[in-house]
């Protein structure tokens, strides 16, 4: 089994910052992409940022310049530093990881965290 443990969510005022962390654990033989999605009230899930095993990153347009994703492959941890938060950023933020658990790392499956709530409000 694979678990993704998210932390760092909370409530912050507009313009504030939060840092989200996600640690992957379990019977993991290989981790490919890791990243974050979010789902705001009344909206569909959308990409926030991703990072490949090689460190290539991709951001949603709204995240560019405000959010930074980083990855520690040894610890199997990703972080999302979010600055300049706005009410529109209020959402459940979900960590995901594309993970292989078989001995030969021949089959990769997507795993999801339970989500951590980010609320931006005055």
């Amino acid at each position: 089994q694979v678990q993704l443990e998210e932390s760092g969510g909370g409530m912050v005022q507009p313009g504030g910052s939060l840092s989200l962390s996600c640690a992957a654990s379990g019977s993991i033989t290989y981790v490919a992409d890791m990243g974050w999605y979010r789902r705001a009230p009344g909206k569909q899930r959308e990409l926030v940022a991703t990072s490949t095993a090689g460190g290539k990153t991709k951001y949603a347009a709204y995240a560019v310049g405000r959010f930074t994703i980083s990855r520690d492959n040894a610890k199997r941890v990703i972080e999302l530093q979010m600055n300049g938060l706005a009410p529109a950023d209020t959402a459940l933020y979900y960590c995901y990881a594309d993970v292989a658990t078989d001995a030969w790392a021949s089959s990769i499956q997507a795993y999801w965290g339970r989500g951590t709530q980010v609320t931006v409000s005055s």
Side-chain angles (χ1 to χ4, degrees), residues 2-9 19-25 31 33-37 69-73 75-81 93-99 111-116:
V2 174
Q3 287 186 312
L4 301 181
E5 301 290 343
E6 301 146 320
S7 63
S19 181
L20 307 182
S21 296
C22 176
S25 62
V31 180
D33 294 353
M34 295 185 71
W36 296 88
Y37 281 74
I69 189 169
S70 60
R71 176 168 177 165
D72 186 329
N73 288 328
K75 297 180 179 180
R76 293 171 175 164
V77 169
I78 56 167
E79 295 188 356
L80 183 69
Q81 178 66 45
Y93 285 71
Y94 297 92
C95 175
Y96 83 90
D98 292 333
V99 174
Y111 292 85
W112 294 86
R114 295 182 178 181
T116 183

Side-chain angles (χ1 to χ4, degrees), residues 11-24:
M11 180 175 291
V12 66
Q13 293 184 340
S17 298
L18 286 173
S19 181
L20 307 182
S21 296
C22 176

Side-chain angles (χ1 to χ4, degrees), residues 48-90:
V48 180
T50 63
S51 178
T52 70
K56 292 186 292 185
T57 58
K58 180 171 62 179
Y59 294 91
Y62 63 79
V64 174
R66 296 192 300 133
F67 297 178
T68 302
I69 189 169
S70 60
R71 176 168 177 165
D72 186 329
N73 288 328
K75 297 180 179 180
R76 293 171 175 164
V77 169
I78 56 167
E79 295 188 356
L80 183 69
Q81 178 66 45
M82 303 186 293
N83 300 321
L85 288 165
D89 296 314
T90 296

